[in-house]
Amino acid sequence: MTMHKLLTAGYEYQNLSFGEVGGKLLFLNNDDLVYRLGVSALMGSVDSKFVVIPKVQGDILMNFERNVDFYHSWYFLAGAEVTTKFIAPKIGFTLFGIVDLTGGYAFPLDQNGINGKKLNGFNLNFTVNLPIPFLNDMIK
């Protein structure tokens, strides 16, 4: 099993708009099935107050296509994320494991939400995952 470190940045919509920054670990044995675990922070403004919500997530990337010239360019993605305010199963697609677009449905864990606004319902994520070795090569 090989492990790679990734830095992540993205956008999440969960009844409110949040920016996201964090890191992930990518685990793979072959490129048909890839596992990712990550931690990040959702940051946004709610009623003119800055909020930060910690987030833990896990993803499985799947592509069992055979005889492709350029490795696997896209993967089906299934996973879940958990914050202090909600839990959200999600599905979507990722391009090279770098650009993710996912959607899901969030179930509230905290009945108070943020300033009275519950974080439940439709969940949309757009994330860019940058491998740390790639970033090191760009800096040199």
Side-chain angles (χ1 to χ4, degrees), residues 1 3 5 12 14 21 24-25 29 33 36-37 41-42 44-45 55-57 69 71 97 104 119 135 140:
M1 182 85 52
M3 181 190 70
K5 298 173 188 169
E12 180 161 340
Q14 183 54 64
V21 292
K24 292 180 184 172
L25 295 175
N29 221 1
L33 201 55
R36 289 191 310 204
L37 293 174
L42 298 175
S45 176
K55 175 173 128 175
V56 176
Q57 66 187 50
D69 295 313
Y71 297 111
L119 298 179
L135 293 173
K140 290 180 184 179

Side-chain angles (χ1 to χ4, degrees), residues 132-140:
I132 291 178
F134 173 74
L135 293 173
N136 285 336
D137 291 346
M138 286 183 58
I139 293 171
K140 290 180 184 179

Side-chain angles (χ1 to χ4, degrees), residues 7 18 31 56 59 97 99 102:
L7 290 178
F18 295 98
D31 61 354
V56 176
D59 302 319
V99 178
T102 62

Side-chain angles (χ1 to χ4, degrees), residues 38-109:
V39 295
S40 59
L42 298 175
M43 297 172 285
S45 176
V46 179
D47 294 334
S48 300
K49 293 181 183 176
F50 183 72
V51 296
V52 177
I53 303 171
K55 175 173 128 175
V56 176
Q57 66 187 50
D59 302 319
I60 299 174
L61 285 62
M62 299 167 274
N63 186 330
F64 300 103
E65 185 179 23
R66 297 285 180 221
N67 301 320
V68 249
D69 295 313
F70 189 69
Y71 297 111
H72 293 308
S73 60
W74 67 273
Y75 290 86
F76 174 73
L77 187 151
E81 57 188 36
V82 178
T83 72
T84 55
K85 303 293 181 184
F86 63 89
I87 183 168
K90 60 184 180 175
I91 59 170
F93 291 95
T94 182
L95 187 61
F96 297 108
I98 295 175
V99 178
D100 300 348
L101 180 60
T102 62
Y105 191 89
F107 301 95
L109 294 175

Side-chain angles (χ1 to χ4, degrees), residues 22-34:
K24 292 180 184 172
L25 295 175
L26 180 137
F27 301 93
L28 70 140
N29 221 1
N30 60 44
D31 61 354
D32 292 345
L33 201 55
V34 180

